[in-house]
């Protein structure tokens, strides 16, 4: 690591500052002074001008294929149209301008140390301009069933499915429990029907065939099956039919302003065109100085057993093959395919045994992964009849995914058999690795691994533990035997077990508790106390809650250093929950009413962007955004301040940071289709200011063919840095 740090410092300090004047450009000011842009030998700088003068708040993109992997760096112009693209590796770049209200300018070849006078190109009409809009502007054109159709009364009633009891449930299925959990809706790939699918008499038929395409077909058909299916297909068809006839979004996106113009985005290609990335990891989340300048790893979930890695110093990428223990471990290559893909035909492009979902670095620079290493049936020590102390409390018979750890120093992978299913994972300050299960009613426990014990013994059975979610409804402060089961009536003399298969998992640094999200409608968050083995469940406030805030259906969540939970909601919101604000008792019968348990602890922030047709801004679920996950920047790796919550703007090509109650949108304008499922922040050099830190994320769309460029595109690693001003080099 010392070698890497020294190398990077030398690359920065070796450049020399040179003052250039903008070429053929006089800014629109009263004095007519010539604008000067300062760059050094590693930068490209200049001015962007349009027909009306300097072009403010547009992106300047530099791209090269001269390096071992494709490399892109993007900046935003200031209010005088000036730009500096800093610290470019030596190569020849194509440089161009992209912005709202424009079409892409001609690409100009350039090299670091050069000045450019770039000309923007105004869009000839609004239809041309809209092709560069984030997906949510097109997505907002989709019509949602009117509120008076809920609750559904079935075919003999109002025609709406009886399982749809609320308009919010429909929206939840549309967003992060259905379509938007895997990819954008509204990008060019989804707002049009691929000709390769064939000819159809109606748009609804075309949509039904589209959902039957490829190895994700069973998931897509399952998702639409949770709606009133025929109505959903008709509404999707109405949307794409209107787009095909030339209908355009009702509103236009704003250009970046303020701090958003200070953002520097760097991208590298990684992975293969057939495989996708779910998450990435760059450092230990507890200590962002771990793995400084080091390798970034991804997870390929259902798509591949080979996970991608990126060396951001040498601009190299590659693949690491994961392992599984049992030859009978199933593979996604055999997933049912109901219809040929418009991109890959009948070729089974996914082939994964390990279905790696989430990676995490530890303090020693090892990579931990949730991974399938065997078929679902658990070993005997997990099942009823075992003397395992955790089995005696709550026996388990199956787990869909276990764990692996990879040591980059030895290049060795160890497989760790776990009794409980794993999905996401995160370390607490005591090196206990906590796991979520992925949600659902068949995942009934929270699990953990004592990594210190495992390092000494390599005994998976002795190093792991798990617990059911038990509410202290009798109020005695301890977990008792003989609790009431989930479907049983509350007994004031007993505790109550709930099914809360958590999707996210976040240890609280302040008090050692562990928090996770509970999927569903309205869904909620659960707190588990490792000391007492007791839980508390708080539903997201909905229409019957004693609060003016309302939202629904969390998915991702994270926590601040002082214990405030932030969770991303399918309603298009980021919600804050502070347990310290609770006024009522957090024990006894009150725990059995999660909708009205501490409503004062919640505050909900609507994410930016357009709203669906028929909705007003501020209505629950109105915004055409569907944040998949969020992350709290406990250590100020972004430069936006410690404990800043940042949500994935999955419909807006962005990450969205909430700073002092205001949104700062970190946009990725190229290639269109940025869709993150997670992020982390790393400090490479604490003495280097903004250049020594930043956020890391990835294009995590399950269909890389949906990214601008189409078939052949791969996922990308994305690095966000925020400099003090748009001209800092």
């Amino acid at each position: 690591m010392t070698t890497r740090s020294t190398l990077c410092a030398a690359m920065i300090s070796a450049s020399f500052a040179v003052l250039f004047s903008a070429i053929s450009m006089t800014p629109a000011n009263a004095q007519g002074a010539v604008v000067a842009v300062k760059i050094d030998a590693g930068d490209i700088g200049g001015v962007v001008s349009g027909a009306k003068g300097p072009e403010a708040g547009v992106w300047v993109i530099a791209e090269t294929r001269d390096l071992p992997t494709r490399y892109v760096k993007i900046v935003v112009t200031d209010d005088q149209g000036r730009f500096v693209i800093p610290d470019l590796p030596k190569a020849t770049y194509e440089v161009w301008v992209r912005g709202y209200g424009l079409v892409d300018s001609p690409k100009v070849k350039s090299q670091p140390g050069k000045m450019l006078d770039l000309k923007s190109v105004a869009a000839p009409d609004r239809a041309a301009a809209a092709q560069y809009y984030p997906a949510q502007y097109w997505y907002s054109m989709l019509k949602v069933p009117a509120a008076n159709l809920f609750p559904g009364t079935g075919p003999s009633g109002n025609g709406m499915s009886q399982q749809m009891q609320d308009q919010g449930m429909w929206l939840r299925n549309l967003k992060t429990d259905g379509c938007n959990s895997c990819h954008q809706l509204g990008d060019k790939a989804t707002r049009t029907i691929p000709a390769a699918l064939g000819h159809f008499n109606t748009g609804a038929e075309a949509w039904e065939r589209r959902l039957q395409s490829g190895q994700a077909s069973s998931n897509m058909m399952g998702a639409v099956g949770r709606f009133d299916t025929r109505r959903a297909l008709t509404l999707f068809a109405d949307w794409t039919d209107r787009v095909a006839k030339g209908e355009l979004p009702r509103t236009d996106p704003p250009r970046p302003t303020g701090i958003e113009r200070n953002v520097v985005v760097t991208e590298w290609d990684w992975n293969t065109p057939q495989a996708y990335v779910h998450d990435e990891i760059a450092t230990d989340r507890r200590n962002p100085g771990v793995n400084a300048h080091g390798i970034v790893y991804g997870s390929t979930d259902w798509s591949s057993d080979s996970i991608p890695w990126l060396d951001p110093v040498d601009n190299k990428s590659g693949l690491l093959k994961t392992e599984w223990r049992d030859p009978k471990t199933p593979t996604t290559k055999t997933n049912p395919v109901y219809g040929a893909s418009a991109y890959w035909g009948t070729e089974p492009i996914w082939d994964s045994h390990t279905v790696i979902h989430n990676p995490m670095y530890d303090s020693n620079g090892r990579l931990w992964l949730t991974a399938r290493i065997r078929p679902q049936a658990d070993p005997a020590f997990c099942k009823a009849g075992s003397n395992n102390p955790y089995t005696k409390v709550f026996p388990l018979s199956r787990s869909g995914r276990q764990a692996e750890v990879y040591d980059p120093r030895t290049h060795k992978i160890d497989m760790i058999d776990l009794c409980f299913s794993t999905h996401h994972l995160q370390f607490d300050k005591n090196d206990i690795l906590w796991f979520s299960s992925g949600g659902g009613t068949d995942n009934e426990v929270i699990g953990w691994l004592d990594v210190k014990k495992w390092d000494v013994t390599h005994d998976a059975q002795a190093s792991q533990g798990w617990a059911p979610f038990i509410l202290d409804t009798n109020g005695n402060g301890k977990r008792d035997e003989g609790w009431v089961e989930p479907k049983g009536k509350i007994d004031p003399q007993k505790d109550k077990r709930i099914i809360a298969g958590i999707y996210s998992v976040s240890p609280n640094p302040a008090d050692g508790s562990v928090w996770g999200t509970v999927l569903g409608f309205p869904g909620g968050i659960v707190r588990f106390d490792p000391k007492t083995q007791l839980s508390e469940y708080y539903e997201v406030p909905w229409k019957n809650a004693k609060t003016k805030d309302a939202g629904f259906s969390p998915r991702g969540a994270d926590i601040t250093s002082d214990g405030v939970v932030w969770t991303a909601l399918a309603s298009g919101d980021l919600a804050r929950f502070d347990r310290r604000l609770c006024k009522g008792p957090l024990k006894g019968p009150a725990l059995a009413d999660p909708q009205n348990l501490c409503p004062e602890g919640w505050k909900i922030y609507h994410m930016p962007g357009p709203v669906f047709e028929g909705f007003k801004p501020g209505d629950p679920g109105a915004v055409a955004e569907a944040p998949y996950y969020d992350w709290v920047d406990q250590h100020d790796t972004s430069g936006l301040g410690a404990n800043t919550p940042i949500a994935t703007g999955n419909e807006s090509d962005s990450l969205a940071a909430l700073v002092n109650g205001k949104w700062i949108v970190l946009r990725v304008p190229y290639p269109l289709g940025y869709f993150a499922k997670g992020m982390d922040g790393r400090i490479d050099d604490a003495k280097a200011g903004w250049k020594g830190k930043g956020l890391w994320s990835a294009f995590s769309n399950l269909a890389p063919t949906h990214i601008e460029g189409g078939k052949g595109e791969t996922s990308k690693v994305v690095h966000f840095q925020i400099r003090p001003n748009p001209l800092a080099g």
Side-chain angles (χ1 to χ4, degrees), residues 288-334:
V290 169
N291 193 45
H293 301 295
I295 303 297
V296 180
Y297 289 97
S299 57
T300 43
D301 204 40
W302 299 333
S303 64
S304 175
D305 290 318
S306 295
I307 64 174
W309 57 264
L310 170 78
D311 181 340
V313 174
D314 295 331
N315 303 300
K316 294 179 179 179
S317 65
L319 298 172
L320 168 67
K321 185 69 177 293
T322 58
E323 299 177 11
W324 57 97
R325 177 178 297 167
D326 192 318
K328 295 181 181 179
T329 303
T331 171
T332 56
K333 188 174 184 178
T334 59

Side-chain angles (χ1 to χ4, degrees), residues 490-515:
I490 293 294
D491 182 339
Q493 303 303 315
K494 295 183 178 181
D495 293 334
K496 170 77 170 177
R497 184 172 76 88
I498 61 171
I499 297 175
I502 57 175
Y503 189 81
S504 68
V505 63
S506 300
N508 181 356
D511 68 4
S513 62
V514 182
W515 293 75

Side-chain angles (χ1 to χ4, degrees), residues 102 115 157 196 272 315 336 352 402 498 556 583 608 612 664 707:
L102 309 176
M115 292 292 294
T272 69
N315 303 300
S352 178
Q402 298 79 41
I498 61 171
K583 297 177 181 178
F612 287 111
I664 296 173
I707 298 170

Side-chain angles (χ1 to χ4, degrees), residues 473-488:
T473 46
N474 66 7
N476 68 359
K478 63 180 182 178
R479 187 181 74 183
D480 303 310
E481 296 181 5
W483 53 70
V484 176
E485 290 295 340
K487 294 183 179 180

Side-chain angles (χ1 to χ4, degrees), residues 109 111 176 307 328 364 388 402 481 501 533 660 720 724:
K109 291 189 181 298
Q111 295 178 339
T176 59
I307 64 174
K328 295 181 181 179
N364 295 314
N388 185 302
Q402 298 79 41
E481 296 181 5
Q533 304 278 290
N660 298 322
F720 296 86

